[in-house]
Amino acid sequence: MEKSEKNVNVFIPCCMDMFDPGTAGSTISVLERLGCNVNYQIDQTCCGRRFYMEGDMNAARELGVKLFREFGPDNPIVIPSAACAGYIKHNFQNIFENTFVPGELTKFTENIYELSDFIVNVLHCRNLGNYFNSRVFYFNSCSARNTYHLHDEPEILLRNTQGLDLVTDDSITGCCSANGTFAEVNPDVSEAMLKNVVDRIYAASVQYVTSTDIHCLQHIEAYIQAKGIGLEVIHLADILNAQKEANI
């Protein structure tokens, strides 16, 4: 595991901050182990993605302006969520084209990175020396594929995790239905979509399912708990932060 001194901002998705703050700690810990000087803004809240998806542009703009002013365009902003990172990277240019200096806005969006992308392609690290002795399914979320356009960076880091038996299935190209208000507005369709995903994962005889996106994992976890399915969820950052001493 090579270390690289770098000033890095960390933005934590609101649903992670509220319900899985330990994963935020894992994200910061992994970056610090890689030699990054991590800045976490205590007053950060939400990127506005949910409001944007619901058509509330005023709320989306307000939160986006807050985010830009908190972090600025100068240092990388690492986000343990392909959904939030992809939203900022590909929508802020249109939302704020007449709000900020164009060059600063471009630099800001170019400095947005999903966690595994930053580790593999910016820090040039493919093996963190982490340890997770379990059979794990990597769920490639639709946000990772279609919004952020993430490639195989999560799989690289998972395959290089000591003790981890990685399972993937490229034929799962559907959505788990966690995005936006879809599950609330279309509960029957949502459950059918989610069941299809979970059934495929369970059939792989794994202990854990992981992803880059906490909202997907939270959605899956609610379903497997309600149905009594023998699976556990864990965010990618928690696996990357796991050490042999933890005996997870």
Side-chain angles (χ1 to χ4, degrees), residues 29-82:
S29 177
V30 166
L31 292 170
E32 288 179 339
R33 281 169 42 219
L34 287 167
C36 294
N37 301 312
V38 178
N39 170 50
Y40 171 76
Q41 292 285 353
I42 193 68
D43 294 327
Q44 63 176 264
T45 50
C46 174
C47 66
R49 183 179 74 95
R50 177 67 178 263
F51 295 97
Y52 178 84
M53 294 176 70
E54 294 177 7
D56 189 345
M57 295 303 296
N58 288 332
R61 288 192 183 97
E62 181 179 345
L63 289 165
V65 168
K66 180 178 183 293
L67 178 63
F68 183 91
R69 288 176 176 166
E70 283 173 337
F71 292 114
D74 294 328
N75 291 317
I77 303 169
V78 179
I79 307 175
S81 164

Side-chain angles (χ1 to χ4, degrees), residues 41-243:
Q41 292 285 353
I42 193 68
D43 294 327
Q44 63 176 264
T45 50
C46 174
C47 66
R49 183 179 74 95
R50 177 67 178 263
F51 295 97
Y52 178 84
M53 294 176 70
E54 294 177 7
D56 189 345
M57 295 303 296
N58 288 332
R61 288 192 183 97
E62 181 179 345
L63 289 165
V65 168
K66 180 178 183 293
L67 178 63
F68 183 91
R69 288 176 176 166
E70 283 173 337
F71 292 114
D74 294 328
N75 291 317
I77 303 169
V78 179
I79 307 175
S81 164
C84 295
Y87 161 70
I88 297 168
K89 205 169 187 68
H90 298 294
N91 289 285
F92 269 35
Q93 287 280 4
N94 293 327
I95 297 172
F96 300 111
E97 62 179 346
N98 296 316
T99 305
F100 301 116
V101 176
E104 291 186 352
L105 181 57
T106 297
K107 191 174 180 182
F108 177 83
T109 56
E110 289 177 348
N111 262 333
I112 297 292
Y113 294 94
E114 181 276 331
L115 177 63
S116 66
D117 181 23
F118 185 76
I119 292 171
V120 172
N121 296 315
V122 178
L123 298 182
H124 304 294
C125 177
R126 299 168 70 93
N127 188 333
L128 281 77
N130 56 315
Y131 178 89
F132 194 80
N133 188 25
S134 296
R135 183 172 167 88
V136 178
F137 189 100
Y138 170 64
F139 175 62
N140 191 10
S141 72
C142 54
S143 293
R145 296 191 312 269
N146 304 323
T147 304
Y148 188 86
H149 305 301
L150 196 62
H151 298 294
D152 62 346
E153 292 86 358
E155 292 100 317
I156 289 171
L157 297 174
L158 290 168
R159 287 194 179 95
N160 287 323
T161 295
Q162 298 177 52
L164 190 147
D165 182 11
L166 178 64
V167 178
T168 61
D169 186 348
D170 292 337
S171 69
I172 299 180
T173 57
C175 176
C176 70
S177 76
N179 263 324
T181 59
F182 184 87
E184 300 169 22
V185 178
N186 304 279
D188 293 338
V189 177
S190 170
E191 182 165 341
M193 292 169 65
L194 184 55
K195 181 180 185 302
N196 179 60
V197 170
V198 173
D199 284 352
R200 298 279 292 279
I201 294 171
Y202 185 73
S205 300
V206 297
Q207 297 161 278
Y208 289 88
V209 53
T210 192
S211 175
T212 58
D213 286 287
I214 190 67
H215 66 286
C216 295
L217 292 174
Q218 290 170 345
H219 193 51
I220 291 170
E221 184 174 37
Y223 179 83
I224 62 178
Q225 287 183 351
K227 302 296 183 182
I229 297 171
L231 281 172
E232 294 186 60
V233 304
I234 184 169
H235 191 276
L236 175 67
D238 292 316
I239 293 178
L240 300 183
N241 192 45
Q243 302 296 308

